[in-house]
Amino acid sequence: MASEVKRPSSKKYGQFKDENLIVRANGDDDTTPKDGGDVGCCGYILWFLSLVVIALTFPFSLCLCIKVVQEYERAVIFRLGRLIAGGAKGPGLFFIIPCIDSYTKVDIRTVSFDVPPQEVLTKDSVTVAVDAVVYYRVQNATMSITNVEDANRSTRLLAATTLRNVLGTKNLSEILSERETISHYMQSSLDEGTDPWGVKVERVEIKDVRLPVQLQRAMAAEAEAAREARAKVISAEGEHKASRALKEAADVMVESPAALQLRYLQTLNTISAEKNSTIIFPLPIDLLQSFMSRKTK
């Protein structure tokens, strides 16, 4: 009869787990040993000998046993290679046992870095160089040490890769006009990828988009042609409206002959105001009309 093989249950994404330790992504203090972190017989012997040495060299041993971390730092302590209970220590004073304890300081302040310019081929086959700025911080000091070798370097590499992958699915017009949308999408992708490392990505900004020189010239020529076309359309619309207004004015003057005389006098007034040295002799239009009527007869 075939023996039944029991498979281990799938572990939750972002969770570091071994037979004695569970590390969750809820905070620095959410590290719960299952059995007190048993270090074995040899470990207890070394621990007892270290306490004896500390007692014999007291108070000089305090210089090696008491450590201090700043307000913006946390200390992750390992005892004989195993993570001790209580999670990361700090800020302030904490106690270690020399020879069997080792600790690593983790800076939890927000860090910003420039993503190097990435040569990206857009969806419409245009090559552009794009760089960005990423702001992140270590949210869980224990996970940033136990789950990844170098959290800072891994975050930088993931940011550069995510930038290329996201922009490769966009057109050039979308990259130029939808920077805020692309930044939010990159932030969510990076935050999901760095969550198992205890890193929180707070903000991503597209810094600059550099186009090839030939493409810049082509876009400038296209924009200039579009502006000229709009200018011609606006000029034609103005002439069309002006001609309709002149036609309506002519219809009014035909119905009222006195309006033509008033317009004539207004024109004389305008000329005399601008050019005072000009001598104007008004010629009644009625005389011209009488001559024109005689010639027709």
Side-chain angles (χ1 to χ4, degrees):
M1 182 173 58
S3 59
E4 183 181 356
V5 179
K6 294 183 178 180
R7 297 180 180 271
S9 59
S10 59
K11 294 184 290 185
K12 190 177 181 180
Y13 186 68
Q15 181 174 344
F16 173 87
K17 181 178 181 181
D18 62 6
E19 60 181 0
N20 293 322
L21 177 67
I22 298 176
V23 179
R24 298 183 180 88
N26 295 331
D28 290 339
D29 297 331
D30 193 12
T31 54
T32 307
K34 295 172 62 177
D35 57 357
D38 189 10
V39 294
C41 182
C42 294
Y44 283 115
I45 293 174
L46 292 176
W47 177 73
F48 177 74
L49 293 177
S50 298
L51 292 180
V52 171
V53 173
I54 291 174
L56 293 176
T57 58
F58 187 83
F60 301 103
S61 59
L62 295 179
C63 298
L64 300 176
C65 296
I66 297 178
K67 301 295 180 180
V68 180
V69 291
Q70 303 296 330
E71 182 69 29
Y72 52 84
E73 293 178 334
R74 298 294 183 269
V76 181
I77 306 174
F78 294 89
R79 179 163 296 168
L80 295 177
R82 302 175 67 90
L83 188 66
I84 65 172
K89 305 296 182 181
L93 297 173
F94 64 95
F95 183 83
I96 65 170
I97 300 177
C99 301
I100 66 172
D101 287 352
S102 62
Y103 72 97
T104 303
K105 290 183 179 180
V106 179
D107 196 332
I108 61 173
R109 290 177 294 183
T110 299
V111 180
S112 62
F113 68 92
D114 293 328
V115 180
Q118 304 294 317
E119 294 288 339
V120 181
L121 183 64
T122 61
K123 191 176 180 180
D124 51 353
S125 301
V126 178
T127 302
V128 294
V130 183
D131 53 355
V133 182
V134 179
Y135 300 86
Y136 72 95
R137 62 182 176 87
V138 176
Q139 188 178 17
N140 191 307
T142 304
M143 294 179 64
S144 67
I145 297 298
T146 57
N147 288 4
V148 64
E149 181 181 1
D150 190 344
N152 294 328
R153 182 172 178 272
S154 300
T155 303
R156 294 171 186 267
L157 294 177
L158 183 61
T161 305
T162 304
L163 180 63
R164 289 196 300 268
N165 294 338
V166 172
L167 296 181
T169 60
K170 303 291 183 180
N171 296 326
L172 178 61
S173 58
E174 295 176 350
I175 295 176
L176 296 177
S177 61
E178 299 179 2
R179 292 191 180 186
E180 186 175 356
T181 304
I182 296 174
S183 299
H184 286 304
Y185 182 76
M186 284 187 58
Q187 179 183 353
S188 60
S189 300
L190 285 174
D191 196 16
E192 182 180 356
T194 57
D195 186 66
W197 306 339
V199 175
K200 173 67 176 177
V201 178
E202 297 180 342
R203 191 183 182 101
V204 177
E205 292 293 339
I206 301 297
K207 185 177 177 182
D208 189 17
V209 178
R210 289 189 291 274
L211 304 176
V213 179
Q214 296 179 354
L215 182 60
Q216 293 180 6
R217 294 175 179 174
M219 294 178 65
E222 181 183 0
E224 184 177 359
R227 286 194 296 269
E228 290 180 356
R230 287 196 299 268
K232 291 180 179 179
V233 170
I234 294 173
S235 177
E237 290 178 354
E239 292 180 358
H240 177 67
K241 293 179 180 179
S243 62
R244 293 185 62 181
L246 289 175
K247 180 180 179 300
E248 293 176 358
D251 294 339
V252 173
M253 290 181 180
V254 169
E255 295 176 357
S256 178
L260 183 61
Q261 296 292 336
L262 293 176
R263 180 60 180 166
Y264 179 67
L265 295 176
Q266 185 181 4
T267 303
L268 294 178
N269 187 20
T270 304
I271 295 174
S272 62
E274 292 180 357
K275 299 180 180 180
N276 297 326
S277 61
T278 303
I279 299 174
I280 301 173
F281 179 76
L283 180 64
I285 299 178
D286 295 339
L287 296 177
L288 296 177
Q289 290 179 352
S290 61
F291 285 116
M292 292 176 65
S293 61
R294 290 178 183 178
K295 182 177 180 181
T296 303
K297 292 179 180 179

